[in-house]
Amino acid sequence: MFNLSRYFSTVSFILVVLAAGLLGPLYQKLALQQLQSLAERRNIEMVQIFENSLHGPLAALLTDSVGRDARSLQATEDLARLSESALALMQDTSVFQVKVYNRLGDVIFSTDSRQIGQSRFDSPGFKAAIKGGVSSDLLRRGTLNAGEKGRTPADVLASFIPIRSNDQAVAGVFELHQNVTPFIDELERDLWWMTAGVVLTFAALYVMQFLVVRRAQGILEDQEGRLKAARDTLELQVEARTEELKRTNSQLESEIAERRQAQSKLNYLAYHDPLTGLANRRCFIERLEESLRETARRGERLAVLFIDLDQFKQVNDSLGHGIGDELLVSVATRLSDHVRLIDMLARLGGDEFICLMEGVQRTEDVEVLAQEILAAFEQPFRLGDTELFLTASVGISLFPGDGDSVLALMRNADSAMYRAKFSGRGNYHFYTPDMTRAVQERVQIENLLRRALDHGEFRVHLQPQVDTQSGELVGAEALVRWQCPELGEVMPTRFIPVAEDSGLIVGLGTWVLRETCRQFMHWRESGFDLPKVSVNLSVRQLERPEFIDTLERILDETGMDPHCLKLELTESVVMAVGDSFSLLDRLRSLGISLALDDFGTGYSSLSYLKMLPIQQLKIDRSFVEGIGRNSGDEAIIRTIMELARSLEFEVVAEGVETAEQAGFLAELGCQQLQGHLHGKAVAPAEFRARWAARA
């Protein structure tokens, strides 16, 4: 058994010796530091006494000492009187020697005249004092010079103290030697008394603790027997607990395996598209960032290709989102299986895919990849019994020419994709800097549009519609104009598409409708009777469930007669709106007239057209411009007129600018004309001034 008494005795003795050995020197060191600090303060005070009493002679001596040798310094007339004054001030003090140095380190005064003229420039104490500090050293000397006070041997504190002029600059240095032997002797006596006290105190503590340890040793021996019995019992309990822990550990391993599987699945979902299994946006961006760093390091090029499916929305709207999802999976599979040059393919969301081509040597290689992508859509996609033909538009950006960051390359590839889509679906296009300018202009217009309605920057202009035979005013089409403070007059062809894409067309269209109705009623109340006014509608307006309620509220607010209002819709708008028949029937039930604008440029079938509740067809200006120059345009106009007569539609021709065009249309039975021949769109005041005079 562990013998506590034996080890305690040994360790305690060692600790007592160490404590006595450490505390004695520590006390001596601290006492010497305190002694040195006190003695240094006394020396500083003594220097102040010297300066106060001998200021004049000292200042003169410091000034005259510059450039003089030791012999001339010792022959100074006032040196004896100065020495007598200094010795008188030192009388009955522990200071036994005083020296004065000039700034060059030469002794110019000393109570020991033999030291005058000596140089102490390299002395550390002098260097510290000349810089403005105070330096002191405790010295053990063998014998004292004849003029010094004290006993032999003596303990001396030498202090170097700066002498300052009136402007606080250091003019010289005092060196004072102070006899501290009595204090050192007293310190050594105190050290012996303290050491004896420490030893006695620790000895008493040792005896008391030894008795306590002896008692504790007995208790420990008694407890050992009990612990042995308890240990045997505990071992049995530990064995039982070990078996239980083994079972628990097996269960934990099973749970950890399940968690790892779940974590692996979460990691997969974080970096993959759940529908197609392709990499997602996050995965593509991280891969592209890594590829950019590696490609830049090797001085190579890479390409980013943005893929957008053409008219995919029509698939969702007509066949449902289930078929749309199946189609996306089929597209992903075909691109993965049949396009060889793709280094990474990802789905960004919706019908947008993006791919990466690394190690591009020539631009032609990227063109080959783009052609492979487009070729993947040449064969129809079979989804059960359904066969779908689909095309895609591809935009391409190249590193480093088209951008040096992930954001720039993806944004520029997206811009190039839109250019490809506008150039003709099923095509690809490389990014060019003018696309960025177009995007920037588009963003600027969108930002300014958001402010324009609140700041009253829009105006409604009206273009007359006249009877073909009589030339009388039968109506007017309301056209919006934008006078922007920054851009000046902005043509509708610039801002209407931006408003459509951004959704701002809804608010703008509602404002145009309300302003047109308000202007119409203002004219009617003031005596100018315009038979009917037309307003164009956007697909975004018709798609809003609250459109009919908004229209009825505008009619109620302005007091507008619904029979005097005509709404113009393009074929593409009618085709894009779901359940357009019921929506147009509701408009007709209100008494509002409906016109199909830009007729002949869309793709609606005749069977679809005859079911629409419209009253008027508007021949597009592109056909009217060809009258007299293009027999094909004239043939199309004749066909439209025959179709209108068979379906009992009224016909309005747009873009009529010459009498020849008006005569041709009149011969075919076109009821109304609209164009610069009878007046362009003008502000309401000018419109009334012109047509009120003809009434």
Side-chain angles (χ1 to χ4, degrees):
M1 178 184 175
F2 178 75
N3 194 320
L4 185 61
S5 300
R6 185 191 311 148
Y7 283 98
F8 171 78
S9 301
T10 304
V11 173
S12 297
F13 178 77
I14 294 173
L15 290 176
V16 168
V17 173
L18 288 176
L22 292 175
L23 288 176
L26 178 62
Y27 170 78
Q28 183 181 25
K29 181 178 180 180
L30 294 176
L32 285 174
Q33 288 178 349
Q34 185 178 15
L35 171 64
Q36 182 171 337
S37 177
L38 292 173
E40 183 179 89
R41 258 191 252 118
R42 292 179 62 183
N43 282 347
I44 293 173
E45 292 171 355
M46 195 67 188
V47 165
Q48 188 62 49
I49 292 173
F50 282 136
E51 288 186 350
N52 293 340
S53 303
L54 307 174
H55 176 72
L58 278 175
L61 185 61
L62 287 170
T63 302
D64 296 339
S65 66
V66 178
R68 299 176 61 182
D69 56 15
R71 181 173 296 177
S72 63
L73 287 173
Q74 291 175 355
T76 302
E77 297 178 358
D78 295 333
L79 196 60
R81 289 193 298 273
L82 185 60
S83 179
E84 292 176 0
S85 300
L87 291 174
L89 292 173
M90 293 163 51
Q91 189 175 0
D92 298 328
T93 68
S94 57
V95 176
F96 62 86
Q97 186 178 28
V98 175
K99 298 179 185 179
V100 178
Y101 299 89
N102 61 14
R103 289 186 55 83
L104 299 178
D106 296 330
V107 178
I108 61 174
F109 171 76
S110 175
T111 52
D112 183 356
S113 60
R114 293 171 298 176
Q115 296 177 346
I116 296 176
Q118 295 178 355
S119 176
R120 295 291 301 277
F121 185 78
D122 294 330
S123 170
F126 172 80
K127 290 182 177 180
I130 202 65
K131 293 179 181 179
V134 176
S135 176
S136 297
D137 289 320
L138 187 61
L139 307 175
R140 190 73 172 181
R141 312 186 76 184
T143 58
L144 294 177
N145 293 331
E148 295 179 344
K149 300 178 181 180
R151 299 189 305 271
T152 302
D155 294 304
V156 177
L157 182 74
S159 297
F160 291 84
I161 303 167
I163 303 172
R164 297 186 181 273
S165 60
N166 293 333
D167 58 358
Q168 297 300 311
V170 177
V173 174
F174 263 111
E175 181 183 356
L176 271 72
H177 288 198
Q178 183 180 164
N179 184 8
V180 293
T181 303
F183 302 104
I184 297 297
D185 293 342
E186 184 178 355
L187 174 63
E188 290 177 350
R189 288 193 299 272
D190 291 345
L191 177 60
W192 280 107
W193 281 111
M194 190 205 73
T195 303
V198 169
V199 171
L200 290 175
T201 302
F202 276 101
L205 290 174
Y206 170 76
V207 172
M208 293 172 59
Q209 290 181 357
F210 181 76
L211 295 176
V212 173
V213 170
R214 284 283 299 273
R215 176 59 180 162
Q217 180 70 35
I219 296 173
L220 288 175
E221 291 174 353
D222 181 60
Q223 292 294 328
E224 184 181 12
R226 298 181 185 181
L227 287 174
K228 187 176 184 305
R231 184 171 60 251
D232 294 339
T233 303
L234 183 60
E235 286 178 355
L236 295 175
Q237 294 176 347
V238 167
E239 289 179 1
R241 184 60 177 165
T242 300
E243 292 299 324
E244 183 180 352
L245 288 174
K246 288 180 179 179
R247 293 192 297 270
T248 303
N249 187 52
S250 177
Q251 295 175 355
L252 287 174
E253 288 178 353
S254 176
E255 292 180 3
I256 290 172
E258 292 178 0
R259 290 188 179 183
R260 286 177 177 172
Q261 292 177 355
Q263 184 65 38
S264 177
K265 186 175 182 180
L266 287 175
N267 290 337
Y268 179 84
L269 293 175
Y271 287 93
H272 291 81
D273 174 45
L275 177 63
T276 63
L278 295 176
N280 60 12
R281 178 187 293 270
R282 176 183 177 184
C283 183
F284 182 82
I285 289 175
E286 291 184 4
R287 168 68 181 275
L288 182 55
E289 287 177 343
E290 181 180 349
S291 296
L292 286 177
R293 289 192 295 269
E294 188 65 21
T295 301
R297 185 183 66 81
R298 295 198 300 258
E300 297 179 350
R301 296 196 300 167
L302 61 78
V304 174
L305 292 86
F306 200 104
I307 307 168
D308 185 83
L309 305 184
D310 297 329
Q311 299 177 343
F312 180 77
K313 183 177 183 297
Q314 294 183 11
V315 176
N316 277 338
D317 293 343
S318 58
L319 300 179
H321 289 275
I323 297 295
D325 289 346
E326 291 183 31
L327 180 59
L328 290 174
V329 173
S330 298
V331 169
T333 302
R334 186 173 295 184
L335 289 174
S336 300
D337 294 343
H338 294 84
V339 182
R340 300 174 293 104
L341 299 176
I342 292 179
D343 289 306
M344 183 182 187
L345 178 65
R347 180 187 176 215
L348 296 182
D351 61 342
E352 295 177 341
F353 296 83
I354 195 166
C355 64
L356 172 65
M357 181 180 186
E358 300 173 331
V360 174
Q361 300 295 327
R362 303 175 304 162
T363 305
E364 290 78 6
D365 297 336
V366 185
E367 292 182 348
V368 171
L369 173 57
Q371 291 166 1
E372 284 189 0
I373 293 172
L374 297 179
F377 292 88
E378 291 178 354
Q379 298 299 320
F381 293 87
R382 299 183 183 277
L383 306 176
D385 297 332
T386 305
E387 189 176 81
L388 295 175
F389 287 88
L390 195 66
T391 60
S393 298
V394 180
I396 306 168
S397 63
L398 298 174
F399 170 82
D402 298 335
D404 57 0
S405 67
V406 171
L407 179 62
L409 289 171
M410 293 179 67
R411 181 185 65 240
N412 293 338
D414 189 19
S415 300
M417 181 274 296
Y418 277 106
R419 179 64 62 87
K421 194 177 288 288
F422 293 147
S423 300
R425 304 179 191 277
N427 200 355
Y428 67 88
H429 205 290
F430 283 88
Y431 169 79
T432 55
D434 65 292
M435 296 178 188
T436 299
R437 291 191 293 270
V439 171
Q440 292 173 345
E441 179 184 1
R442 183 185 182 89
V443 171
Q444 181 188 25
I445 289 177
E446 181 177 340
N447 291 334
L448 294 174
L449 273 175
R450 296 183 184 278
R451 181 203 66 186
L453 266 179
D454 295 335
H455 290 196
E457 297 174 11
F458 290 108
R459 297 290 183 270
V460 170
H461 286 198
L462 296 109
Q463 185 173 31
Q465 296 172 338
V466 302
D467 183 83
T468 304
Q469 300 300 327
S470 65
E472 293 181 358
L473 181 68
V474 294
E477 181 179 359
L479 301 170
V480 65
R481 296 292 183 264
W482 181 19
Q483 188 65 35
C484 178
E486 290 84 0
L487 304 178
E489 184 175 358
V490 186
M491 298 304 295
T493 53
R494 288 180 64 191
F495 71 84
I496 291 298
V498 178
E500 288 273 4
D501 292 342
S502 63
L504 296 172
I505 194 67
V506 176
L508 178 59
T510 301
W511 179 86
V512 171
L513 189 59
R514 178 179 284 106
E515 181 64 17
T516 302
C517 293
R518 186 199 63 77
Q519 183 64 56
F520 182 90
M521 292 306 297
H522 173 71
W523 278 343
R524 177 157 292 189
E525 291 169 0
S526 61
F528 177 57
D529 191 9
L530 179 66
K532 185 168 288 192
V533 65
S534 303
V535 179
N536 291 284
L537 287 184
S538 162
V539 63
R540 292 293 186 95
Q541 290 177 270
L542 293 177
E543 286 176 340
R544 301 297 286 264
E546 71 276 9
F547 171 70
I548 297 295
D549 295 335
T550 301
L551 177 60
E552 290 178 337
R553 185 165 60 254
I554 291 174
L555 295 175
D556 290 340
E557 290 174 0
T558 60
M560 178 79 172
D561 183 359
H563 296 86
C564 297
L565 178 62
K566 178 168 61 178
L567 298 179
E568 297 187 6
L569 310 94
T570 63
E571 294 175 77
S572 59
V573 169
V574 174
M575 292 292 292
V577 177
D579 196 16
S580 59
F581 293 105
S582 60
L583 177 62
L584 298 181
D585 280 335
R586 289 184 64 187
L587 292 174
R588 283 295 300 137
S589 66
L590 295 176
I592 296 173
S593 302
L594 298 175
L596 197 61
D597 197 10
D598 300 337
F599 185 74
T601 61
Y603 47 82
S604 59
S605 65
L606 297 180
S607 60
Y608 188 83
L609 178 64
K610 70 180 182 181
M611 293 185 291
L612 292 176
I614 61 175
Q615 296 77 47
Q616 194 178 75
L617 296 179
K618 298 189 73 175
I619 301 175
D620 188 68
R621 67 175 63 249
S622 61
F623 302 125
V624 175
E625 290 174 352
I627 295 175
R629 302 196 310 268
N630 190 320
S631 59
D633 289 338
E634 293 177 354
I636 292 175
I637 293 174
R638 289 190 182 95
T639 302
I640 293 175
M641 292 302 303
E642 290 296 330
L643 175 64
R645 273 192 290 272
S646 64
L647 297 177
E648 298 181 353
F649 290 155
E650 188 179 31
V651 179
V652 179
E654 292 184 298
V656 180
E657 298 183 356
T658 66
E660 179 185 1
Q661 294 170 347
F664 178 83
L665 293 167
E667 289 178 4
L668 294 179
C670 178
Q671 290 89 350
Q672 297 180 21
L673 304 177
Q674 179 180 342
H676 289 181
L677 178 64
H678 297 284
K680 60 182 180 179
V682 295
E686 183 179 346
F687 184 92
R688 176 174 181 173
R690 177 177 179 182
W691 290 99
R694 298 188 181 187

